[in-house]
Amino acid sequence: MIERLLLTNVWFAIALGVIFYIATYLLGLYEIYLYNTGAKDFIVIPNRYDLTPDRQAAITQRRWFNWKLAAILVVMSIGIGLAWQISIGQYARSDVFSVLIGGLLLLEIADAAQRIRNIILFYNAPKAGNAKGKIEYSRRLVYSQAFFEMYIFATIYLFVFFTTGSWLFFGGGITCIVAGRRQRDWTVIRT
């Protein structure tokens, strides 16, 4: 049903893309906030949550909206609209648009799931009795966990694709494989 709405209504596809991106962005800010306001006393992750000036401002001033985010949302909206117009409007290839929008939306879901896992950990760690002592993760371990999770999501999405034939999940699976591979390569080179 959602896939049909994405294919027949470009505005729904754009709105869903924007909503998913903003939700993941806000989850990321909350994750960083929780880490820096208490979880870092129990869980040390070197260089993972070093705040850039724009993120520091977003967290301390509670101003989550900035021009960089606005630019990303505008470009993404235009990209979704163009992809819809070309694949469905000109060539009647709904499968191509399903792969593209599935790649975008399902990658955001995978990223959000990782952030929610961290939020739960960072929220509960500082509470009395939940964490004792201090643990320090290596950068390699943290980044390895992230790319393995991407591969897990890719496996789930591709399983759904092979069982249902939904091109939306094929796009999500391929995008998660590519994102996981990029993270793996970055981890091997930088750590």
Side-chain angles (χ1 to χ4, degrees):
M1 172 154 162
I2 289 180
E3 190 169 1
R4 180 174 291 145
L5 277 172
L6 291 168
L7 296 174
T8 58
N9 188 340
V10 67
W11 296 110
F12 180 73
I14 291 171
L16 215 53
V18 167
I19 289 167
F20 279 28
Y21 191 86
I22 290 174
T24 304
Y25 176 78
L26 292 176
L27 285 170
L29 288 179
Y30 189 56
E31 173 188 8
I32 294 167
Y33 169 78
L34 287 176
Y35 180 78
N36 284 307
T37 58
K40 69 180 178 182
D41 297 333
F42 299 95
I43 303 162
V44 179
I45 304 173
N47 300 325
R48 172 68 183 215
Y49 294 104
D50 293 339
L51 295 177
T52 59
D54 61 329
R55 290 218 172 163
Q56 180 66 47
I59 291 170
T60 57
Q61 298 171 3
R62 305 241 195 270
R63 288 183 28 223
W64 62 271
F65 187 81
N66 59 45
W67 292 109
K68 182 179 176 182
L69 174 64
I72 290 169
L73 294 175
V74 167
V75 168
M76 182 179 66
S77 297
I78 292 169
I80 292 171
L82 285 174
W84 189 89
Q85 182 61 39
I86 292 168
S87 61
I88 294 176
Q90 285 184 337
Y91 296 106
R93 294 296 309 263
S94 60
D95 54 336
V96 172
F97 184 74
S98 286
V99 168
L100 295 174
I101 197 72
L104 175 75
L105 298 178
L106 296 178
L107 180 64
E108 290 298 324
I109 289 173
D111 189 29
Q114 290 178 338
R115 295 190 183 284
I116 290 168
R117 180 186 46 81
N118 288 338
I119 286 169
I120 291 168
L121 177 64
F122 297 159
Y123 180 80
N124 288 306
K127 294 191 179 208
N130 284 338
K132 295 179 177 126
K134 187 181 258 190
I135 184 169
E136 183 170 346
Y137 292 115
S138 70
R139 288 178 68 197
R140 185 176 202 90
L141 176 63
V142 171
Y143 292 119
S144 295
Q145 183 179 14
F147 74 75
F148 276 115
E149 286 180 1
M150 279 295 163
Y151 289 152
I152 290 168
F153 273 97
T155 304
I156 293 168
Y157 293 155
L158 290 174
F159 175 77
V160 173
F161 164 70
F162 286 121
T163 56
T164 66
S166 170
W167 289 103
L168 190 81
F169 287 96
F170 180 75
I174 296 302
T175 306
C176 285
I177 288 171
V178 170
R181 179 60 189 222
R182 283 182 40 211
Q183 288 178 349
R184 187 191 78 68
D185 291 346
W186 187 90
T187 301
V188 169
I189 292 168
R190 301 274 172 102
T191 60

